[in-house]
Amino acid sequence: MRVLLLLLLAACDAHPSRLDAIVVTHGPDPTPRPRGARPIGEPRAENRDERDRDLDRKLREVASRDVPDDTASGGVSLASVLGSTPGPFGSLAAIKPGMTRTELLAALPTAQRDGELVWIPTGIDGVAVELAFDRTERLAEIVYHVPLAARPLLVGAWGAPAHETNVWFDPTRGWRARLGEDPVNGKIELAIAPYRPFADVIGRGPVRMASATRRRSSAPRSPTSRADSRGSTRQVPRTPSCCCPPPTSAPSQRVSSRAPLTVS
Amino acid sequence: MTGLELHQCYDGWDVQRRAALAAMEQRWGRATPTRTADDRLVFAWTIGNRRLEAEDIHDGHDGTAAWQVTIKPR
C-alpha cells in the first residue's frame, strides 16, 4: 500500500505564514501479489496516473495556500501600529520610561506576570512581546518578537536607523529601539528600552559639573534638574544588547549611561 | 562620595566615539590629552578641585567600546 508522507515545513524567511515545502515520498508497496494483478478497488494504470496528477495538483494548491502563523491571532497589522517615532507600540503604547512593574501592570490589565517576566498579548499579527525589569523594579526593556519581513516596515515608519547601526532613537520621549536579527529562527527581536542622551547625563553647555551646580543651589529644583538627579543615581537598567564592559574599579558611586550614544 | 565613574558605551564607530568626546568638551571645555601615572592615555579636565579623566576602553577582541569617565578630587 502506498505510503504517503507529508512533511509540512512552515518556516520561511520571506513568507513566514506560507508553507515552505511539502515533501511527498512514495514507499514500496508491502503487499506481494501476482504480476498483473491489482488490489480490489485499485484503479487501472491509466486511472492511477490520473489520480497521481490530481493528487499533485491538490498538493500544489495546498502549498500555495496561506496557513495561520502560530503567533497570529487575527489582530492588526504591524505597519498600522508602529507610529512615526521609535517606542512601544500597539497595546503597549501607553508605557512611559521609568515605569515601575506595579505601575505598568496597573496600566496594562492584560499583562500576565511570569516570574521576572511580564507577558502581554499584543493583538498584532505575528508579534509577541516580553518585558523585563531591573533590580529597582523599573522597566528595563521591551522585547518584541517580530517576523523578518518587519524591518522594512520599521524603516518606513521610523526612518533610517542611526549611523551604521540597527538602532533608532527618540530623544524627546526617551526611547531607543535596537533591532536584533535571528535568521536561524526566522525572527527578529526589537528591543525597546528607555535611555537618556549622554549630553543630558553630563549636562549641556560650558558650565561647571551639573551635580556640583545642583548641590550648591538652594532654589527649588526645576523639573529638568529633578530628572537629572533621578537619572544619575538610579540603578542601571538590564540591557543585554549593551556594549559596555564590566567596570574595572569600584568607586563610591558609579553612573552608567548604557544607551548607545546620541548627542542631540 | 569620593569619586564617580561614568560609562558611556557606543557601537564601535569612530563617529560615535567622537560625538561622545564632543559632548564632554562642550560641557567641560577643551580636553587635554595626557598620560596617567600608570601609562594610560586619557583626555583630562580640571574643574575646580576635581580631576576628570576620560579613557576610551575600546576592546577589539569582544567588540565592546565605551568611554570611561573618572571624576575624583585633585
Side-chain angles (χ1 to χ4, degrees), chain A residues 113-205:
Chain A
R113 194 167 181 164
D114 181 14
E116 295 299 313
L117 296 177
V118 174
W119 298 83
I120 300 173
T122 63
I124 307 169
D125 281 343
V127 177
V129 68
E130 58 183 284
L131 281 73
F133 297 85
D134 62 18
R135 286 172 292 180
T136 66
E137 291 290 290
R138 291 191 182 278
L139 177 68
E141 197 171 47
I142 304 168
V143 180
Y144 289 93
H145 301 271
V146 296
L148 278 177
R151 190 180 192 285
L153 301 179
L154 299 176
V155 174
W158 298 342
H163 174 76
E164 299 287 354
T165 68
N166 272 335
V167 183
W168 290 262
F169 294 98
D170 181 1
T172 304
R173 294 191 301 162
W175 291 113
R176 82 166 189 271
R178 178 184 292 270
L179 189 67
E181 294 174 306
D182 182 7
V184 174
N185 293 320
K187 294 281 186 177
I188 58 175
E189 285 187 357
L190 181 64
I192 297 178
Y195 89 105
R196 299 182 65 209
F198 183 49
D200 286 350
V201 175
I202 65 174
R204 297 175 186 269

Side-chain angles (χ1 to χ4, degrees), chain A residues 163-165 198 202-210 212 215 243-244 249 251-255 257-259 261, chain B residues 1-11 13 15-16 19-20 23-24 26-28 50 52 57 64-65 68 71:
Chain A
H163 174 76
E164 299 287 354
T165 68
F198 183 49
I202 65 174
R204 297 175 186 269
V207 295
R208 292 172 300 180
M209 292 165 55
R215 190 176 299 121
C243 54
C244 278
S249 61
S252 57
Q253 183 179 6
R254 182 175 294 122
V255 176
S257 178
R258 289 181 166 244
L261 176 67
Chain B
M1 184 174 71
T2 60
L4 186 146
E5 191 174 285
L6 185 149
H7 288 253
Q8 172 61 59
C9 61
Y10 57 93
D11 273 332
W13 298 96
V15 62
Q16 298 170 337
M24 289 186 280
Q26 186 183 38
R27 182 63 173 170
W28 299 324
R50 290 188 173 94
L52 289 76
I57 52 175
T64 58
Q68 177 179 292
I71 304 174

